[in-house]
Amino acid sequence: MTHIKNYIYISFFLFLGCANIRPPTGGDKDLSPPKLVLAIPEKNNLNFNEESIILEFDEYIQVRNMENIKVSPVCSPPPKVLVRGKRIEVLFFQKLEKETTYTINFSKAISDINEGNVLENFTYVFSTGDMLDSGIIKGNVKDLYFNKLLPNSLVALYSSTDSSDLNYYTFTELNGSFLIKNIKKGEYFVRAVIDENDNLQYDHGEMTSLIKRIKTSEIDNEIGVFYIKNSTKINAKNINKGVIRFEHEAEKTNINILNADGLWNRKNFSSDFWFRDTPPFIKYESFGLIDSVQVYNNLPPDLILHGPSSVEEILLTKKIILKSNSPIDSFLATGFNLNEKNPELALTDPFTIEIPVDPMSCDFFTLSIDGGSILNEQGKKNDSIVFSFNLNSNDYGILNVLCSKKSEETMIGELFQDKKIVRKCSLSDSTSMQFLSPGDYSLRVFSDLDGNNVWTPGEIENNIEPEPIKVYHGFIVIKPNWEVDIRVESP
């Protein structure tokens, strides 16, 4: 009977023990990351000679991506990290260097169990000597092309240009700023990366900066990141019946079709090849490489028309230029109505219809096209569509860009809203952008060193800097019947 009672008591206490480690349920959703409530020894401890560190938090935690927990300077073998409920234990299996400041960076490894709230940029610093290293490096990380400060960017310090030799690192705050402190004074190599897969290194396709030399005495550092463009990269796919779309990162890439005849509809960063035969694949050559894409899509594309990109285009060309997404076989002139009259029409190439206009004769043009008035080569007809063009200059604004540059320098200006380029032109000493719709704009300028009319980012392999680029400070506000003058300097 006594043994039975003991068994019951033991089971009862075991049950209570299990119940005590269950995280609480119910109530408001927890949005806060774990907080450190106890550290043994305390953070910033001097004359450290312990074999372990205990870190206790205010809630039950989990540790993921254990390999991203880094100790600087490197310990060999690395310490072992154990998780026990609300507690982390760091066990050392080697003798630490004397008179050395160590930083354990937990990156984004620590989070609570219930909601997965991450404790970011958590570090534990201690010294085996009687003082902590006082070197700091701080600054911000921004997207060079859009001049936007970037949060959550990896900023890594290396002792050499070998990016596998990581010494210290941190992540930028919401305002794009970063601070790495308690490091040994001296020179390092720094790199910023938008570390999408959280592996603490640059991988192809991620935004990155070049690796550059930096000193701890330099405390205001601006690091620019960019996407690396591959001029030889081409994605080819059979998007519709009789058409292969080639998407390319370089503007106006040269692609040669080797086994079929057809028509090209070339655009800046994509090119459509239309073919009439029925080959099982299209073979093509670009940049000295030969490849092929399978032909499988039998769905004819809808016929879609696009109007002029701007009112300024109509004024300069004295034409309304319509672009079709597919080759035009024929059109019915009586289905076109320009200000209640049938206009003259000209099919200048298989994708383009031009309509001459006199901009001085009228401030407002309405072009309506009846459904079925245009037939493409695959038998598809257009839906009815109406284009309206307001040529009244009083409803638009003008931006005059005064440019200070070297005489032999080619500078390109790109006026944009959000991420869409509205106007693009080569800048002279004074350049006027007219017929701008009212709104807020941004302007970037860059030195077109290679003459390809697009901004060329850096090359990682050869450590080549991006083309100099600068985004004009603040928004440029355009109002109706207003003229705005700004001055830009060579970047």
Side-chain angles (χ1 to χ4, degrees):
M1 189 69 176
T2 303
H3 293 298
I4 294 175
K5 287 182 179 180
N6 289 341
Y7 178 79
I8 294 172
Y9 293 153
I10 292 171
S11 298
F12 180 68
F13 283 114
L14 284 174
F15 176 78
L16 285 178
C18 293
N20 284 339
I21 65 171
R22 290 181 182 175
T25 59
D28 294 335
K29 184 177 180 179
D30 179 16
L31 300 176
S32 301
K35 294 180 182 178
L36 182 70
V37 295
L38 177 66
I40 305 176
E42 293 183 355
K43 294 177 70 174
N44 302 325
N45 183 261
L46 302 179
N47 299 308
F48 181 93
N49 61 357
E50 307 293 331
E51 295 181 353
S52 66
I53 296 169
I54 295 175
L55 304 172
E56 190 162 329
F57 297 86
D58 63 344
E59 57 184 318
Y60 291 94
I61 60 170
Q62 56 188 340
V63 175
R64 298 175 178 174
N65 297 326
M66 196 80 74
E67 66 277 5
N68 284 358
I69 301 175
K70 303 289 185 181
V71 179
S72 302
V74 175
C75 297
S76 184
K80 186 173 184 179
V81 179
L82 302 176
V83 183
R84 307 181 188 277
K86 300 181 180 180
R87 176 177 294 186
I88 290 176
E89 294 184 26
V90 182
L91 306 178
F92 293 97
F93 298 97
Q94 71 288 318
K95 190 173 182 62
L96 301 177
E97 295 291 332
K98 296 180 179 179
E99 306 295 329
T100 302
T101 298
Y102 285 89
T103 299
I104 306 176
N105 195 324
F106 289 85
S107 183
K108 305 173 186 177
I110 302 174
S111 62
D112 60 42
I113 289 180
N114 287 336
E115 304 295 342
N117 298 310
V118 176
L119 178 59
E120 297 187 359
N121 283 345
F122 177 70
T123 59
Y124 179 90
V125 180
F126 64 91
S127 174
T128 55
D130 56 7
M131 62 180 295
L132 294 173
D133 285 335
S134 58
I136 66 170
I137 290 177
K138 68 177 183 177
N140 60 67
V141 175
K142 72 171 185 178
D143 179 339
L144 280 177
Y145 195 56
F146 291 102
N147 197 38
K148 297 291 186 183
L149 295 172
L150 297 176
N152 201 33
S153 307
L154 170 68
V155 180
L157 299 183
Y158 311 95
S159 58
S160 69
T161 55
D162 182 2
S163 59
S164 63
D165 189 17
L166 178 62
N167 282 58
Y168 303 94
Y169 71 95
T170 189
F171 290 88
T172 55
E173 304 293 340
L174 290 176
N175 62 358
S177 66
F178 68 88
L179 171 64
I180 304 177
K181 58 183 181 179
N182 297 121
I183 62 178
K184 187 178 292 292
K185 292 182 178 180
E187 285 191 342
Y188 297 90
F189 292 89
V190 64
R191 184 183 208 171
V193 177
I194 307 303
D195 189 21
E196 296 177 0
N197 58 1
D198 291 329
N199 65 350
L200 300 183
Q201 64 183 19
Y202 165 72
D203 294 292
H204 183 71
E206 295 176 334
M207 293 187 78
T208 182
S209 71
L210 297 179
I211 295 178
K212 67 176 184 178
R213 194 184 299 271
I214 195 171
K215 296 180 180 179
T216 51
S217 57
E218 301 167 351
I219 59 174
D220 288 318
N221 299 280
E222 186 172 82
I223 303 176
V225 297
F226 49 86
Y227 282 113
I228 299 171
K229 291 182 180 178
N230 182 358
S231 61
T232 63
K233 181 182 178 182
I234 293 176
N235 293 322
K237 53 187 176 182
N238 182 202
I239 61 169
N240 284 108
K241 181 181 178 181
V243 58
I244 302 294
R245 173 161 294 170
F246 296 90
E247 296 176 343
H248 38 81
E249 294 186 359
E251 192 171 357
K252 305 292 187 183
T253 294
N254 186 29
I255 303 168
N256 297 315
I257 304 300
L258 303 178
N259 67 330
D261 293 324
L263 302 170
W264 278 105
N265 186 15
R266 297 185 186 272
K267 290 164 280 188
N268 284 345
F269 297 102
S270 68
S271 302
D272 293 345
F273 177 72
W274 293 81
F275 55 94
R276 300 182 180 91
D277 299 329
T278 56
F281 60 90
I282 291 293
K283 189 176 182 180
Y284 64 94
E285 182 270 335
S286 184
F287 296 101
L289 301 176
I290 296 177
D291 205 344
S292 62
V293 56
Q294 183 182 2
V295 175
Y296 63 89
N297 198 327
N298 289 314
L299 182 65
D302 293 330
L303 196 159
I304 301 172
L305 293 174
H306 299 281
S309 59
S310 67
V311 172
E312 195 172 39
E313 178 184 315
I314 299 175
L315 294 171
L316 292 174
T317 64
K318 296 183 179 180
K319 298 174 183 177
I320 295 174
I321 300 175
L322 303 177
K323 291 287 186 179
S324 170
N325 69 319
S326 56
I328 297 172
D329 179 74
S330 62
F331 59 83
L332 186 63
T334 56
F336 289 72
N337 189 300
L338 180 64
N339 285 5
E340 301 182 355
K341 294 181 180 179
N342 292 123
E344 295 180 20
L345 304 176
L347 185 64
T348 56
D349 65 50
F351 301 93
T352 308
I353 294 176
E354 294 186 356
I355 304 172
V357 295
D358 180 6
M360 304 303 294
S361 65
C362 184
D363 285 339
F364 198 87
F365 288 92
T366 299
L367 173 66
S368 62
I369 305 173
D370 296 338
S373 298
I374 305 173
L375 179 71
N376 72 7
E377 290 189 356
Q378 296 187 349
K380 284 281 189 175
K381 296 182 178 181
N382 68 294
D383 293 329
S384 61
I385 188 170
V386 177
F387 296 101
S388 297
F389 309 104
N390 179 7
L391 274 62
N392 187 343
S393 60
N394 293 329
D395 293 332
Y396 299 93
I398 298 174
L399 174 63
N400 297 315
V401 182
L402 308 176
C403 182
S404 299
K405 65 185 183 71
K406 302 173 184 176
S407 59
E408 70 280 4
E409 183 180 23
T410 300
M411 277 179 58
I412 304 296
E414 293 179 338
L415 192 69
F416 63 98
Q417 288 180 309
D418 296 326
K419 294 188 175 182
K420 181 181 178 181
I421 297 175
V422 178
R423 297 287 175 87
K424 181 175 182 176
C425 60
S426 178
L427 298 178
S428 58
D429 292 339
S430 179
T431 304
S432 182
M433 300 183 188
Q434 302 186 34
F435 284 87
L436 295 174
S437 297
D440 295 343
Y441 296 84
S442 298
L443 176 70
R444 75 171 66 88
V445 296
F446 62 88
S447 299
D448 190 20
L449 301 180
D450 56 11
N452 66 352
N453 202 43
V454 294
W455 180 64
T456 303
E459 291 184 18
I460 297 300
E461 294 80 6
N462 300 315
N463 205 43
I464 297 176
E465 293 282 349
E467 288 181 333
I469 187 169
K470 182 186 294 184
V471 177
Y472 183 80
H473 60 86
F475 286 113
I476 301 169
V477 180
I478 300 296
K479 297 182 180 181
N481 205 25
W482 271 42
E483 199 164 343
V484 178
D485 295 337
I486 65 169
R487 178 175 293 277
V488 296
E489 306 290 336
S490 178

